[in-house]
Amino acid sequence: MNTLRLQIRFLVPLVLTLAVAAYLALPLLDSLTLRWFSRDLNLRGSLITNTLSDSLGEALQDGRDPRLQALFTRAVRDERLFALGLCNLQDQLLQRSPAFPADLDCAKARNLSVQDVPKLGLPGGPLHVGVHQVQVEGAHVADLVLLHDLSFVERRSQDTQKYLIAFITVLGVIIAFITMVVAQLSWRGWVTGARALLRGEGLLTPVLGRSELAPLAADFRERLRDLEDAYRRSLDRDDHWDAERLRALLRAQLRGDELIVVSNREPYIHDRGPDGISCKRPASGLVTAVEPVMRACSGTWIAHGSGSADRQVVDKQDRVKVPPGSQDYTLRRIWLTAEEEQGYYFGFANEGLWPLCHVAHVRPVFRESDWQAYKLINERFADAVVAEARSEDPVVLVQDYHFALLPALIRKRLPRATILTFWHIPWPNPESFGICPWRAELLEGLLGSTIVGFHTRYHCKNFLETVDRYLEARIEHEHSIVTANKQSTLVQSYPISIAWPDEAERAAWPLVPDCRTEVFARLGLPPELKLAVGVDRFDYTKGILERIHAVERLLEKHPEWIGRFSLVQVAAPSRSELEEYKAFQQRIHQVTERVNARFGRGDYRPVHLLAEHHDQAALNRLYRAADVCVVTSLHDGMNLVCKEFVAARDDEQGVLVLSRFAGAAAELNEALIVNPYHVEESADALHRAISMPLAEQRERMANMRMTVRDDNVFRWAGRMLADAARWRLRERIDARVLSHTSEDDALTEK
């Protein structure tokens, strides 16, 4: 019925158009035909006049009327020539044939002959009037009037009209047939194209064979993007995000779908000590951010089991419930040999990718054996994800640079999985990333993700430019979508954060004066001393060396602070097996000893280097005791130490000195932003920080606390999971539409 209506809409205008064309064409054709024949008769009259000129000249000279009459009688035997008349130059009719009209004189004939169509109407039918000069020896002696019968022209015109009507009819039938065929094919094409649009084909890529639907697909895609952007803004405007809100989002939009987190570092480590097995959290920004999300959402966390007692506490499937006491989620441990860890973790990940992605002036090292180990461990973790998945479409959160190949491996085994990969470290520019010999494999692995997340838009931009440089892919820069190998990936920024402490947690904290008394007593510091604190892993990207140089320059420029200012640097040992890290740690110890020897006085030391692991409670007490927190990263994805410091200062005191090369600098504008490479600037910032009035400290800290409270880790996870839910819903709708379309096509064929 729809096809018939479509055909009628084409045919009715076609028939009307052809009828109007015929109605307008027939009179025009009659007029043109008459003009053509009139021109032909004029030419014919000229030929007759030229033929008779000599005979007419002689007859006029002799004045022999019988001769003229005989000449006219022979001439009018032509079936088309009706009559002849001879006029002198004074418009007198000298001779005429018997049929020449009596009421037609020479003057009237001349007037008729100059018209476009010289026609004389008579009861017997129209006549063509032609007046032609009779030339004798080049002199104009008379005019010959020729009257041709036009009835044959009317007969020819009627025949032409019949042919034209027949032609238009046949043409109309042919056009109607073609129109019906095209309408049928177009309808099927539009239906197929519309179904493809509903399935999502053409929203990210053009519909194959449906170029006419490209504008509709583009408009539809733009509208969806606008709706998604509006939804994302609504999430950003919502001020309150906590664990309960995240659980509600998981239930409402992901409908309780299972959540699997994959990372190299495990959230809890079991170690064997003198007092038996103990459980502790490692010093890791990743664990700080992701662990509260897992406690809120439950699920399974897959990680490398690196603790000395990890094997003793797991079950037969290498699983253990964590955290101790509450057991909110499952930790699945993956075991690595020392050789595998050396190649995959210390080798490719930390001697290759880590320096490659950080502008810290350490040369990356790429070995074929490390690459093979990296691939092997990524495959092992992919096997674990498949084994832990209870459905064909789990939500998988892949964490960090250790697993660049993992998303594509999971996608191959679980095509319907929703894979969110978050890259916790910076992403370099295309030229820097091009150093890696396996750059294409890493990019293809990451593009197996549904979503690839970074801390900042700048890192997203670098990633898109890198993909554009080294892969054949379609990139929608406006919406940050990459399509490669028929897989579309959203590239988006999700600034990571920490879990904002609730009232119960804050109530359990010791008071700020008590923290200060405890820390100062433990470190042997005088009560009036101004204390700056730095908390980092022992890593060359954290700017520890530059920080100590800034302290040294501060004491050079402002000797009044000698004995009244100290930096406590917590540096948790990390990757000590690598030569770069060993050399770096040795240099930090040497510089610390030199600065302390130069400015130390008795028990006073300007730099206290604590190269040991501190649990979160100890760090919190240190944050609350400090006057200044110093974060001087040379290149950092985000850095959560600054946010932990802000969250710990519920007294709204303390000053944050923050590197402009940390991702957090884009959010915490009230901090004292410095260039850590500029020692003079960093020293001046330290001086300003320890001299800042309390009122200014409160104003700055209050604003930063509001920012960290609102943009907490639950908002970070909520934005990612909300984006994942939209993509997941789209995929499920596509599957249902495709199923219904297949059923409809099967019924149509039957």
Side-chain angles (χ1 to χ4, degrees):
M1 182 61 70
N2 289 331
T3 306
L4 179 59
R5 290 177 181 175
L6 182 64
Q7 292 171 351
I8 291 175
R9 286 201 297 267
F10 277 108
L11 290 176
V12 170
L14 175 64
V15 171
L16 292 176
T17 301
L18 292 176
V20 172
Y23 177 78
L24 297 176
L26 291 178
L28 179 62
L29 184 64
D30 286 344
S31 176
L32 291 175
T33 303
L34 185 59
R35 289 176 182 273
W36 290 336
F37 279 110
S38 177
R39 189 180 303 111
D40 291 341
L41 292 176
N42 284 331
L43 292 174
R44 192 168 184 272
S46 297
L47 291 175
I48 294 175
T49 301
N50 291 334
T51 302
L52 298 177
S53 291
D54 293 340
S55 299
L56 291 173
E58 293 176 0
L60 289 173
Q61 290 177 1
D62 296 344
R64 290 177 289 182
D65 182 75
R67 185 175 178 182
L68 284 174
Q69 188 63 42
L71 187 62
F72 280 18
T73 301
R74 289 196 303 273
V76 295
R77 290 175 182 173
D78 188 295
E79 62 177 351
R80 296 184 183 178
L81 189 59
F82 179 76
L84 291 173
L86 184 63
C87 299
N88 62 17
L89 299 180
Q90 289 75 35
D91 288 339
Q92 295 177 345
L93 185 61
L94 301 178
Q95 185 68 40
R96 64 187 181 85
S97 64
F100 196 90
D103 59 347
L104 181 63
D105 55 24
C106 293
K108 184 178 180 180
R110 285 194 178 92
N111 291 334
L112 289 173
S113 67
V114 297
Q115 297 178 4
D116 290 339
V117 180
K119 186 170 66 170
L120 176 65
L122 293 178
L127 299 176
H128 178 272
V129 180
V131 178
H132 305 276
Q133 295 181 1
V134 178
Q135 301 280 342
V136 177
E137 295 181 356
H140 180 196
V141 297
D143 290 323
L144 184 62
V145 180
L146 288 84
L147 301 179
H148 285 89
D149 184 7
L150 289 178
S151 60
F152 80 94
V153 176
E154 292 184 352
R155 292 192 298 271
R156 294 280 182 89
S157 179
Q158 292 175 357
D159 293 341
T160 303
Q161 290 178 5
K162 294 178 182 178
Y163 294 146
L164 178 62
I165 292 174
F167 172 76
I168 291 177
T169 302
V170 173
L171 180 63
V173 172
I174 294 175
I175 294 177
F177 175 76
I178 295 175
T179 300
M180 293 174 66
V181 173
V182 171
Q184 183 72 22
L185 294 177
S186 298
W187 175 255
R188 291 182 179 178
W190 275 83
V191 170
T192 303
R195 287 174 174 173
L197 284 179
L198 292 176
R199 291 195 300 269
E201 301 170 16
L203 297 180
L204 302 178
T205 57
V207 182
L208 184 61
R210 302 284 177 264
S211 59
E212 67 274 11
L213 291 179
L216 179 60
D219 292 342
F220 197 15
R221 183 174 60 247
E222 290 297 324
R223 182 56 181 159
L224 286 178
R225 297 291 181 266
D226 292 342
L227 291 175
E228 289 183 358
D229 291 343
Y231 180 78
R232 289 176 61 85
R233 287 193 295 271
S234 70
L235 288 178
D236 291 340
R237 287 194 298 268
D238 196 328
D239 293 335
H240 182 66
W241 275 90
D242 55 16
E244 184 57 37
R245 171 74 188 279
L246 187 62
R247 280 192 290 268
L249 182 143
L250 191 66
R251 289 192 298 267
Q253 298 198 28
L254 290 171
R255 299 191 178 181
D257 291 336
E258 62 175 316
L259 188 65
I260 299 176
V261 170
V262 183
S263 70
N264 175 76
R265 193 179 298 275
E266 56 185 338
Y268 292 93
I269 298 176
H270 290 88
D271 279 329
R272 183 176 297 280
D275 300 326
I277 296 177
S278 63
C279 182
K280 63 181 181 180
R281 281 180 56 178
S284 168
L286 183 153
V287 172
T288 300
V290 180
E291 207 270 337
V293 175
M294 285 301 290
R295 288 205 309 267
C297 300
S298 188
T300 302
W301 189 321
I302 303 174
H304 168 216
S306 58
S308 58
D310 279 354
R311 290 181 183 269
Q312 280 71 49
V313 298
V314 297
D315 59 16
K316 294 181 180 179
Q317 286 77 36
D318 298 324
R319 302 187 184 106
V320 61
K321 288 288 186 178
V322 291
S326 60
Q327 300 184 348
D328 293 323
Y329 60 93
T330 300
L331 173 59
R332 163 70 188 277
R333 285 170 167 151
I334 304 297
W335 314 114
L336 308 181
T337 65
E339 182 180 358
E340 290 171 341
E341 186 177 11
Q342 180 63 40
Y344 143 76
Y345 179 74
F346 294 110
F348 191 81
N350 288 303
E351 285 188 290
L353 292 181
W354 179 268
L356 177 70
C357 293
H358 288 84
V359 182
H361 313 295
V362 173
R363 184 175 181 177
V365 177
F366 295 104
R367 307 180 188 90
E368 179 66 31
S369 58
D370 294 344
W371 169 246
Q372 295 301 327
Y374 187 83
K375 291 198 299 181
L376 175 65
I377 301 307
N378 272 251
E379 291 170 357
R380 185 174 301 171
F381 273 82
D383 294 337
V385 171
V386 174
E388 294 298 324
R390 299 188 302 272
S391 64
E392 295 181 354
D393 56 351
V395 178
V396 184
L397 275 66
V398 178
Q399 302 296 315
D400 226 352
Y401 61 100
H402 310 92
F403 301 110
L405 303 179
L406 186 57
L409 295 173
I410 298 174
R411 178 70 60 198
K412 186 176 181 181
R413 306 273 295 277
L414 296 172
R416 295 172 55 192
T418 301
I419 306 171
L420 288 73
T421 300
F422 193 80
W423 195 265
H424 288 261
I425 63 176
W427 188 273
N429 59 47
E431 291 76 13
S432 298
F433 191 79
I435 296 173
C436 180
W438 301 282
R439 54 184 178 269
E441 290 89 336
L442 295 174
L443 292 173
E444 289 170 354
L446 288 171
L447 291 178
S449 308
T450 308
I451 298 174
V452 175
F454 296 92
H455 289 294
T456 67
R457 290 299 307 166
Y458 179 72
H459 297 156
C460 294
K461 178 175 176 290
N462 280 351
F463 180 77
L464 292 175
E465 290 177 352
T466 303
V467 171
D468 193 31
R469 176 76 62 88
Y470 298 113
L471 291 184
E472 290 292 332
R474 179 173 176 268
I475 301 176
E476 295 181 52
H477 288 280
E478 182 179 357
H479 303 294
S480 296
I481 293 177
V482 179
T483 303
N485 299 322
K486 300 181 180 180
Q487 165 69 31
S488 295
T489 302
L490 174 66
V491 180
Q492 192 58 262
S493 62
Y494 303 97
I496 203 167
S497 190
I498 62 172
W500 186 256
D502 57 26
E503 293 183 6
E505 290 179 87
R506 293 197 299 271
W509 291 348
L511 298 175
V512 170
D514 295 340
C515 292
R516 191 172 179 87
T517 300
E518 177 193 344
V519 170
F520 276 48
R522 178 163 54 89
L523 298 176
L525 305 175
E528 69 280 1
L529 181 131
K530 292 289 186 177
L531 178 62
V533 62
V535 178
D536 304 276
R537 286 185 304 101
F538 233 138
D539 194 288
Y540 51 77
T541 66
K542 301 302 180 180
I544 300 174
L545 181 62
E546 288 73 15
R547 196 174 305 163
I548 297 174
H549 285 160
V551 171
E552 182 179 25
R553 182 57 182 152
L554 169 69
L555 299 180
E556 288 175 351
K557 294 180 68 174
H558 302 280
E560 67 271 16
W561 289 113
I562 298 175
R564 298 173 54 216
F565 169 83
S566 288
L567 168 70
V568 173
Q569 177 62 55
V570 175
S574 175
R575 305 165 189 167
S576 302
E577 295 82 353
L578 301 179
E579 290 299 326
E580 285 286 350
Y581 284 81
K582 287 181 182 179
F584 176 74
Q585 292 173 18
Q586 291 174 1
R587 187 177 181 190
I588 293 299
H589 282 286
Q590 292 171 357
V591 172
T592 299
E593 291 173 1
R594 179 178 61 78
V595 172
N596 285 338
R598 180 181 177 188
F599 295 104
R601 303 288 187 273
D603 294 335
Y604 167 71
R605 287 182 295 164
V607 179
H608 294 257
L609 183 61
L610 307 180
E612 58 188 21
H613 175 78
H614 285 60
D615 60 27
Q616 195 62 36
L619 291 178
N620 193 62
R621 289 192 296 272
L622 189 58
Y623 292 143
R624 291 170 67 79
D627 298 287
V628 180
C629 179
V630 188
V631 177
T632 52
S633 305
L634 304 181
H635 199 194
D636 218 337
M638 177 57 66
N639 193 293
L640 298 180
V641 168
C642 54
K643 295 188 176 184
E644 290 179 341
F645 172 72
V646 170
R649 298 314 300 254
D650 56 356
D651 61 340
E652 295 186 350
Q653 293 185 21
V655 181
L656 174 62
V657 177
L658 180 59
S659 167
R660 69 177 58 183
F661 303 120
E667 299 179 77
L668 303 179
N669 300 316
E670 292 79 9
L672 300 182
I673 307 299
V674 299
N675 177 358
Y677 292 99
H678 191 182
V679 176
E680 202 78 17
E681 180 180 318
S682 299
D684 291 342
L686 284 174
H687 177 66
R688 182 183 176 188
I690 56 182
S691 306
M692 185 176 292
L694 291 180
E696 183 179 353
Q697 290 185 33
R698 290 191 184 96
E699 183 178 356
R700 289 175 177 270
M701 184 59 69
N703 289 332
M704 288 191 291
R705 284 176 61 79
M706 186 180 302
T707 298
V708 177
R709 182 196 64 196
D710 293 343
D711 297 330
N712 56 48
V713 71
F714 299 111
R715 180 188 293 273
W716 168 77
R719 289 183 59 206
M720 281 200 302
L721 292 175
D723 287 345
R726 288 196 298 277
W727 281 75
R728 194 176 181 84
L729 178 61
R730 180 183 302 173
E731 291 173 355
R732 288 176 173 174
I733 291 176
D734 292 346
R736 291 174 185 172
V737 171
L738 183 61
S739 175
H740 291 315
T741 302
S742 301
E743 293 175 2
D744 292 343
D745 292 342
L747 291 175
T748 302
E749 292 177 0
K750 290 181 179 179

